[in-house]
Amino acid sequence: MENIAALPGIQQIYPICPSHQPHAPPSHPAANFRPSSLLSPKLQLRFLPAARNVLQTAPPLRLHATVSDTYSETIELADLDWDNLGFGLQPTDYMYMMKCSEGGRFANGELRRFGNIELSPSAGVLNYGQGLFEGLKAYRKQDGNILLFRPEENALRMKMGAERMCMPSPTVEQFVEAVKTTVLANKRWIPPPGKGSLYVRPLLMGSGAVLGLAPAPEFTFLIYVSPVGNYFKEGVAPINLVVENELHRATPGGTGGVKTIGNYAAVLKAQSAAKAKGYSDVLYLDCVHKRYLEEVSSCNIFVVKGKVISTPAIKGTILPGITRKSIIDVARSQGFQVEERLVSVNELLDADEVFCTGTAVVVSPVGSITYNDKRVSYGDNGVGPVSQQLYSVLTRMQMGLIEDKMNWTVELR
């Protein structure tokens, strides 16, 4: 196979298996692209046996490029029903992988065809839950360029979580470059403007074999992506929450403040019970007093009263959400007073509005909250004006529809 150029910072692209050679992708655009890179020697065909079934069924990349003094590229979008995207996994073309040993440094990352990975049965992540994940999105602009939203914040949060979980982590630069590379390699899966986004899922896990309780001897950093629509089936319509009194998401001194995988398995029981009763999700209280708000299963919570917006302070049991942090800054720029403090569950009874924030949901208005069998509704069960205003400002910034005065977005071409 000829004329396959590596993306920046990548050792080698794992090309399609021989049966798909006619559809092998040419190089993707990058800031330091040089037409002479197409003259590189033949690359040896290699792919993971575990991913062979994926390779044989994956749709071919339909990428057309012409090379001249100025490089241009036209990409055909994947064949999806872009108007009806849900929040579920859609296998894409490439994933990114990088490894390091205990005490070492991550290096030599590479793109591989999306597919299964191989782990020892005694891998640290499988036996002791030594793993973290992140989530961010890529949006396609009207001009075809791509926007990432604050990827360096995800990198910093992963570094903080890795320290808590006794793992090495990629540098901020490595993390951001890996995200850029993975997004560009899967460019055809980014929805058209206004149709959704490409969800980016970085993982960091103890992949090495370990029997006794100890950090794994090897660690894997992996990124995969999937095009997504709305997280909640209601879309931007209000969701209905129930307050959980008995089960708790996190405890003081635990790992509630980092994005470790175990935090999310712990909420499944209460969440499943709530959904069986018709609720959208669960709102958790602190485990000590059982009267202060913490967060929803995978979202931060905000309470609105007049021009004051209150949200639980970050005290080690609540995830420091990047969307949460962004909404606080946006709200203050819009003239609201934002308080980060203990917020009593009783304040829900007198609130004008309640909304959730998170990477997946962005801003999700709350239509009602049920607490001790008492249901409290907000407005006319429609989207409140504060929720609508903050959602509009933030999403328009993320999609490049308004000027990014915060310098939060990273543009890819």
Side-chain angles (χ1 to χ4, degrees), residues 241-245 279 285 290-291 345-346 348-349 369-376:
L241 302 178
V242 60
V243 176
E244 174 59 48
N245 284 309
Y279 299 106
L285 301 178
K290 297 186 178 182
R291 65 189 180 95
V345 65
N346 291 326
L348 295 173
L349 307 179
I369 291 181
T370 300
Y371 175 52
N372 287 337
D373 297 323
K374 180 179 180 180
R375 182 185 176 102
V376 180

Side-chain angles (χ1 to χ4, degrees), residues 189-270:
W189 296 95
I190 304 174
K195 302 293 186 181
S197 59
L198 187 72
Y199 188 85
V200 183
R201 172 58 59 85
L203 293 165
L204 179 62
M205 54 188 164
S207 52
V210 57
L211 185 60
L213 179 58
E218 178 193 76
F219 300 90
T220 297
F221 174 67
L222 186 149
I223 302 176
Y224 67 91
V225 300
S226 177
V228 296
N230 292 314
Y231 181 78
F232 289 114
K233 65 180 182 180
E234 297 89 342
V236 187
I239 60 174
N240 300 298
L241 302 178
V242 60
V243 176
E244 174 59 48
N245 284 309
E246 298 302 323
L247 299 179
H248 297 281
R249 177 190 164 274
T251 60
T255 58
V258 298
K259 207 169 175 65
T260 183
I261 59 178
N263 291 349
Y264 296 86
V267 307
L268 295 178
K269 183 177 179 64

Side-chain angles (χ1 to χ4, degrees), residues 65 165 182 208 213 301 310 321:
M165 301 299 290
T182 311
L213 179 58
I301 190 85
S310 303

Side-chain angles (χ1 to χ4, degrees), residues 378-398:
Y378 304 99
D380 297 323
N381 212 30
V383 180
V386 176
S387 304
Q388 182 62 63
Q389 180 178 347
L390 298 179
Y391 173 84
S392 178
V393 172
L394 188 59
T395 55
R396 286 170 65 80
M397 186 187 304
Q398 290 176 329

Side-chain angles (χ1 to χ4, degrees), residues 25 63 74 79 87 91 97 176 294 304 321 377-378 395:
L63 191 62
T74 301
D79 185 16
F87 200 92
M97 187 175 290
V176 173
E294 292 231 314
V304 181
S377 298
Y378 304 99
T395 55

